[in-house]
Amino acid sequence: MDIDSDTLASLAGISSLDEDLMERLRSITTSNREDLIAQFRATTNAMLTDEGCRFFLEMSNWNLNEAILAYYDAEMPTDKLPQMRFIADVTVGEGEAIPPSTRFVKTWRIENSGSERWPNSCSLRFVNGDRLQDRDEIYVSALSPGEQTNISVNIASPNASRIIRSQWRLFTPAGVPFGGNYILKLLFISRLYP
């Protein structure tokens, strides 16, 4: 599939698009629908099911470039993203030791550092690292500017001694990450005590 200059010009108008994305779009050469779904997901970092990706592709007559534009039109907010500031690790500070095979609750304290109330249904999502929790998504209450809250995740330490890393990020209801580049981290050591 070739990308015409009109499509590239319209893509260039999206301020959040960077050269890396442009290069990925130039290198797309398939018409296989399963490959297009995978490329759509990889290019947009969309947290959609295959059916969700297929919706945007079918709506755009399986034109990947048009589907990406439709996705950004539908999913990217036109107003400001919510703002978040990390306040503290309430439980299990960075580098703490936890016995193996132990269930515990990890809690972070965060604040709405922006000037607008957060939308309803924002969520904290697991994005990388060791998956030791019961749920990958925790809903967060809509915070007013300056308001703080605790967010907790139920974790089970592994049955072997090792260093554990888990990363979490806040997302809008449309699936757009916010909080700047800040990722809430869980770093602990699962080990037996002497």
Side-chain angles (χ1 to χ4, degrees):
M1 162 192 301
D2 291 329
I3 297 177
D4 60 41
S5 58
D6 292 337
T7 302
L8 285 176
S10 65
L11 280 172
I14 299 175
S15 63
S16 64
L17 231 47
D18 60 10
E19 277 303 311
D20 179 50
L21 178 56
M22 296 296 284
E23 188 56 39
R24 282 191 271 172
L25 288 172
R26 286 186 198 102
S27 67
I28 296 169
T29 59
T30 185
S31 59
N32 177 293
R33 290 184 174 185
E34 295 307 312
D35 288 344
L36 287 169
I37 289 170
Q39 289 177 353
F40 176 87
R41 183 177 286 116
T43 302
T44 61
N45 292 321
M47 298 188 69
L48 297 173
T49 63
D50 282 355
E51 291 77 24
C53 295
R54 187 174 285 112
F55 167 79
F56 285 102
L57 286 159
E58 285 178 351
M59 180 176 76
S60 303
N61 199 23
W62 291 92
N63 179 313
L64 183 61
N65 304 320
E66 294 298 322
I68 290 168
L69 288 173
Y71 171 77
Y72 282 125
D73 283 345
E75 296 297 324
M76 296 302 284
T78 54
D79 26 287
K80 295 185 341 185
L81 284 175
Q83 301 295 308
M84 182 276 297
R85 182 170 69 99
F86 170 75
I87 302 297
D89 287 306
V90 177
T91 63
V92 189
E94 191 167 315
E96 280 190 38
I98 304 286
S101 303
T102 301
R103 294 192 68 73
F104 64 96
V105 176
K106 168 61 184 171
T107 302
W108 296 275
R109 185 147 189 84
I110 61 168
E111 175 183 76
N112 175 349
S113 59
S115 59
E116 297 178 18
R117 182 174 176 81
W118 287 1
N120 292 322
S121 301
C122 287
S123 61
L124 177 71
R125 297 181 190 172
F126 171 80
V127 293
N128 192 20
D130 297 295
R131 180 175 268 118
L132 302 168
Q133 66 278 359
D134 297 331
R135 296 172 38 203
D136 286 349
E137 183 175 37
I138 309 296
Y139 286 95
V140 180
S141 56
L143 299 180
S144 296
E147 186 178 359
Q148 296 183 2
T149 192
N150 290 341
I151 305 175
S152 298
V153 179
N154 294 318
I155 304 282
S157 64
N159 57 9
S161 295
R162 65 186 179 99
I163 295 175
I164 306 302
R165 289 179 182 86
S166 183
Q167 297 179 336
W168 298 75
R169 190 114 196 241
L170 286 165
F171 286 82
T172 66
V176 178
F178 71 93
N181 291 328
Y182 198 84
I183 294 177
L184 299 174
K185 298 175 186 167
L186 170 60
L187 173 63
F188 69 93
I189 303 166
S190 176
R191 68 177 175 129
L192 293 173
Y193 293 99

